[in-house]
Amino acid sequence: MKRRVFVMASAVAVLLSGCTSESEQAQTPELEARGTVLTTVQPTRQDLVNKISLAGKVTINPTFGIVAPGAGELRFTDRQPTTTPVVRDTWVASVWGGGAPRRVYIPEGSIMAGRLMADKSPVSKNMPIISAKHVGYGIVADIDSAQAYRISGAVKSIKAQIKNGPGPFNCEPIGTIAALPAGTLPEPEPDPTKQPAQNPSAPVSQEEPPTEGATGSDPTGLQVVCVAPAKTKLINGSDVTLDVITGRAEDALVLPVEAVAGSQGKGKVDLVIGEERRRKTIDVTLGISDGKVIEIKKGLQGNETIAVPGPNLPTPAPGEATK
């Protein structure tokens, strides 16, 4: 009896094993080869605007930065800061490069707030070197580093809307898009050629009164500063929405941002080639982006097939210089 039960159990096991094997062979799908491109796009053309929305506030006497117009050695003028805004663009420093000076000005309606670098320091182009203050109301919006790279100091125009207040209106951008270190205002050196006034009651020239007790400007974070039209009613501390436009392109060749690797003008995309749909990574020149698509300025004709997602940029080994 036991032998008969054992034989029957063995037969059932063999039958089930055979069914399972045949079923697996019949139902296993054919998988695509590793690395096969499954999603692709083709470049398209459209008008493109690089616009960033920021949250800002109305601020009294906002600080902004002024940059070096070129590379060279920074030299400040002997002009002393004043407590009243200048009535015209005023020369406050020069950058000497190639044997010639390039002048640096603070704009009309502002006062010099501080030196961001020491006199005779070497500087590079677009490096913040002076802080200034716009006298009166301005609008300030803080930004993060990702937004700073999208703006890249190339603000074309700003539209502002005050919450429950005036707007939208054009807001004139001033200064650079960069965090500023603390600014200093050194005491003027005494002039040994000048004698003290003999008559203490004689009037003192008020053309450029020195700033007494000035400590310079405080450091700032990354920010955008703009000035509203003169007739716009502003209240300190009011919330403002800013639409910052940094670039426009008509009939631009674009790709989805997911199909492109890189930024700041240099990028890479993967072409899909042949019936075997193999990838080939090529270099492209990038333009502006609206966050959804990005302009391809050079590298593509417009009829290519592009893999999505784009190529992975290699991570350099520790100590290896990035090319």
Side-chain angles (χ1 to χ4, degrees), residues 85-246:
V86 296
V87 296
R88 64 182 65 86
D89 291 355
T90 302
W91 173 38
V92 293
S94 298
V95 175
W96 282 79
R102 301 184 68 177
R103 291 188 172 189
V104 181
Y105 297 85
I106 59 171
E108 175 186 350
S110 64
I111 60 175
M112 184 169 171
R115 299 179 179 183
L116 304 181
M117 305 190 71
D119 191 35
K120 298 184 179 179
S121 295
V123 298
S124 59
K125 185 177 181 179
N126 293 329
M127 179 182 291
I129 55 175
I130 293 171
S131 63
K133 285 188 177 181
H134 171 76
V135 177
Y137 285 116
I139 296 173
V140 178
D142 293 329
I143 59 178
D144 60 31
S145 60
Q147 292 169 325
Y149 277 99
R150 283 188 62 191
I151 295 173
S152 300
V155 175
K156 301 298 183 184
S157 63
I158 299 177
K159 286 282 188 181
Q161 172 66 61
I162 298 176
K163 186 176 181 179
N164 300 323
F169 53 83
N170 291 324
C171 196
E172 181 185 359
I174 57 175
T176 184
I177 309 299
L180 307 179
T184 60
L185 291 174
E187 294 291 335
E189 296 181 1
D191 188 347
T193 64
K194 289 187 177 180
Q195 299 296 325
Q198 299 297 321
N199 183 4
S201 62
V204 178
S205 172
Q206 297 299 315
E207 181 180 359
E208 287 189 0
T211 303
E212 297 181 0
T215 58
S217 58
D218 293 329
T220 71
L222 287 166
Q223 62 184 21
V224 171
V225 182
C226 66
V227 178
K231 295 183 179 180
T232 305
K233 183 178 180 180
L234 301 176
I235 300 175
N236 188 43
S238 298
D239 291 330
V240 186
T241 298
L242 298 179
D243 281 341
V244 181
I245 296 175
T246 63

